[in-house]
Amino acid sequence: MVAIVEAAARKTKPGSSRRYALLMAVHDSEYVLKRYGGYLHVFVAAFGDDDAGEEWDMYRAIDGELPSPGELVSYDGFVISGSPHDAYGDDPWILRLCGLVRELHAMRKRVLGVCFGHQLICRALGGRVGKARAGGWDVGVREVAIVAAAAADDAKVPCRFLDVMRQRHQLPRRAKITEVHQDEVWEVPEGAEVLASSDKTGVEMFRVGEHVLGIQGHPEYTKDILLSLVDRLLTAGSITGSFAEAVERQLETTAPDREFWLRLCKSFLKADDEEHVWL
């Protein structure tokens, strides 16, 4: 069973075999609260393991809440969510989150960044991020090329979480993923390896060693969450009606390879588990 713990009532559960922290960089939307009970439940449903006795805690990083230095050692992994904010911004909470990423990197703790989280990790570790050079929003389902599938022998550092998937023939050369972003990684940190790219975004996924992974898309998003976001972007004037209609038409015939992306994220977060039972 997965134990889901809010920040205000955080407590280690007896018998928990693994512990993860979700660092939320976005406030829950009305839709996600009503449909799923909040983004915490969305992430745990996507990346958690009901049979592993896991515990997932949430810290609202966007509100300045982060784990204390003494708490970091107790976690097996950290996930940084997407956000409507720019990862290259200088808001105090963003700068604090960058500092935490550098600390986790020094500790060799597993850190998975999604969209904003992907970009923030890049910035924190010395890479460059900014507005998408192709211009405008990238919203919908996009196919990306998995570089690691073709260049396994050329990897700079061994990569167990990908090797396990490759050995089981679960690492395709191309895969579709849900995208909602207008910023991107311009240049990965020194020593990082680009693992995936698309015709619109040069860095769709990258890793640093075996403990840091950034993914530009949203493995955790369901179709209804994406459609809700499209409605919100349209209402806010961020996209046009014709753009929204095009996304909706695409979703009628195209779906992301969500099972693959969830398997990849779980393989990364739980790579220290030699049994790899989630695969």
Side-chain angles (χ1 to χ4, degrees):
M1 183 178 76
V2 176
I4 300 175
V5 186
E6 290 284 351
R10 189 173 295 116
K11 184 183 297 183
T12 302
K13 302 297 182 184
S16 292
S17 61
R18 300 182 71 82
R19 194 178 182 205
Y20 298 95
L22 174 61
L23 309 177
M24 285 297 301
V26 61
H27 291 117
D28 291 319
S29 68
E30 290 185 11
Y31 176 81
V32 169
L33 274 173
K34 182 178 180 180
R35 177 72 175 81
Y36 296 96
Y39 279 117
L40 172 61
H41 294 271
V42 172
F43 275 95
V44 173
F47 301 154
D49 187 339
D50 285 332
D51 300 320
E54 294 177 355
E55 179 181 347
W56 283 75
D57 299 337
M58 180 176 67
Y59 295 84
R60 296 189 182 277
I62 192 171
D63 294 326
E65 182 184 47
L66 295 175
S68 67
E71 291 177 301
L72 301 182
V73 70
S74 68
Y75 288 105
D76 295 287
F78 299 78
V79 177
I80 305 174
S81 77
S83 176
H85 294 266
D86 298 324
Y88 46 84
D90 290 328
D91 307 63
W93 71 271
I94 292 177
L95 297 179
R96 287 188 62 209
L97 191 52
C98 284
L100 177 61
V101 167
R102 288 190 286 270
E103 186 172 358
L104 295 174
H105 174 52
M107 296 172 69
R108 293 300 186 267
K109 285 289 185 178
R110 291 192 179 277
V111 184
L112 169 63
V114 173
C115 197
F116 166 91
H118 157 85
Q119 297 160 14
L120 181 125
I121 290 171
C122 175
R123 174 192 181 180
L125 300 185
R128 298 176 62 221
V129 300
K131 290 295 181 188
R133 287 170 169 163
W137 282 90
D138 188 5
V139 182
V141 177
R142 185 167 294 276
E143 186 175 72
V144 306
I146 312 295
V147 178
D153 295 336
D154 298 328
K156 301 174 183 177
V157 179
C159 195
R160 263 201 309 159
F161 78 93
L162 287 179
D163 288 342
V164 168
M165 297 186 69
R166 188 178 296 110
Q167 291 164 7
R168 297 183 181 221
H169 305 290
Q170 295 173 331
L171 191 62
R173 292 184 178 275
R174 306 188 73 84
K176 298 182 182 71
I177 191 168
T178 299
E179 305 266 14
V180 185
H181 67 100
Q182 60 178 340
D183 297 334
E184 66 180 9
V185 168
W186 286 354
E187 182 181 331
V188 296
E190 183 178 356
E193 181 183 4
V194 177
L195 299 179
S197 61
S198 70
D199 57 357
K200 186 175 176 65
T201 304
V203 183
E204 290 279 2
M205 178 167 62
F206 76 94
R207 70 170 176 127
V208 178
E210 287 200 273
H211 62 284
V212 174
L213 180 67
I215 299 176
Q216 179 57 70
H218 285 273
E220 80 284 7
Y221 277 2
T222 55
K223 179 179 177 180
D224 61 296
I225 290 177
L226 176 58
L227 287 172
S228 174
L229 279 168
V230 169
D231 286 342
R232 288 167 57 196
L233 289 171
L234 179 60
T235 300
S238 299
I239 59 175
T240 64
S242 59
F243 187 104
E245 290 172 3
V247 173
E248 291 167 359
R249 285 196 302 271
Q250 183 201 37
L251 296 180
E252 291 176 359
T253 59
T254 307
D257 296 308
R258 192 164 181 261
E259 288 188 14
F260 159 71
W261 290 104
L262 297 188
R263 188 182 296 119
L264 183 146
C265 291
K266 290 181 181 182
S267 183
F268 168 74
L269 288 170
K270 309 167 202 295
D272 292 332
D273 182 348
E274 295 181 357
E275 296 299 321
H276 297 286
V277 295
W278 57 92
L279 294 174

